[in-house]
Amino acid sequence: MIKVDEKQQALLKDFFDKETSYQPEHVGYILLACILIGIPFIMFIMPFQIWSLRDDYGILGVCYALEISGLLSYVGKYSAFSETGKTRQVYDILKYMPICYDQYCLFKMLKVHKLCLRLMVLCLFCQTIFGLVFYHGLTFANLAVPIVSQYLIPLITVMLTMIRRS
């Protein structure tokens, strides 16, 4: 198990705050992530009672694919760095700093975890409110869908894509 090294995490935070805040690529990564996550999010905040699972498997697959693509785009912000028109991998720059690869991966996972947690809470809130207002009740699915669709599946998928290189 990797433990969080506060000094290395602070160095990473400072690096990304100072060096990458206003780069066009990073703004593009954020805009693309907002679009790719926002479109399926509209589907996921609809009350579960409205869904017909037999008919919606294809749509759910597309929604998951868009959301995971958006999260990978969000992670791309922390993976690529451009200076003087030349794009390099961030870790190629960070390897000269006192930061190990494990802490770099942990930093990216913590960023994704924070985003997924926010999406899950917002989706859970909307599912609860819309279920109570429009259907006058909640089902188990109203609580399970946000946890699975906005937290578990995206976080596990992104984690699998960031497994430590051998």
Side-chain angles (χ1 to χ4, degrees):
M1 172 117 179
I2 302 171
K3 295 190 181 202
V4 176
D5 184 353
E6 296 298 328
K7 289 181 182 179
Q8 290 184 30
Q9 295 296 317
L11 284 172
L12 283 166
K13 184 179 181 324
D14 287 343
F15 172 78
F16 284 109
D17 286 347
K18 291 178 184 173
E19 299 295 329
T20 65
S21 295
Y22 299 107
Q23 286 190 339
E25 291 91 8
H26 290 250
V27 174
Y29 282 130
I30 294 297
L31 287 174
L32 183 62
C34 289
I35 292 168
L36 290 175
I37 291 171
I39 292 169
F41 191 76
I42 295 169
M43 172 76 173
F44 289 127
I45 65 171
M46 288 184 205
F48 186 73
Q49 293 91 329
I50 206 171
W51 296 4
S52 170
L53 286 183
R54 279 179 253 142
D55 300 331
D56 290 339
Y57 278 130
I59 297 295
L60 286 175
V62 169
C63 287
Y64 284 128
L66 284 172
E67 184 175 10
I68 290 167
S69 298
L71 286 171
L72 291 174
S73 174
Y74 179 75
V75 170
K77 172 185 174 185
Y78 300 105
S79 299
F81 180 75
S82 177
E83 53 186 0
T84 65
K86 185 178 177 184
T87 302
R88 300 188 319 176
Q89 294 296 317
V90 169
Y91 192 69
D92 291 341
I93 298 166
L94 295 177
K95 67 183 174 185
Y96 299 110
M97 296 173 69
I99 297 171
C100 70
Y101 185 74
D102 293 340
Q103 291 297 318
Y104 170 61
C105 286
L106 186 62
F107 179 80
K108 292 193 298 184
M109 277 309 302
L110 290 173
K111 292 293 186 180
V112 171
H113 174 265
K114 189 185 222 182
L115 178 63
C116 287
L117 194 61
R118 288 179 181 167
L119 289 172
M120 180 196 69
V121 168
L122 184 59
C123 187
L124 189 62
F125 177 75
C126 291
Q127 278 277 341
T128 304
I129 295 298
F130 293 158
L132 288 173
V133 169
F134 296 118
Y135 291 97
H136 307 294
L138 291 176
T139 63
F140 174 73
N142 288 112
L143 304 175
V145 166
I147 293 169
V148 171
S149 70
Q150 298 297 314
Y151 188 72
L152 292 178
I153 291 176
L155 193 64
I156 289 170
T157 306
V158 171
M159 187 184 323
L160 290 175
T161 62
M162 291 176 29
I163 289 180
R164 185 175 182 205
R165 43 184 178 182
S166 47

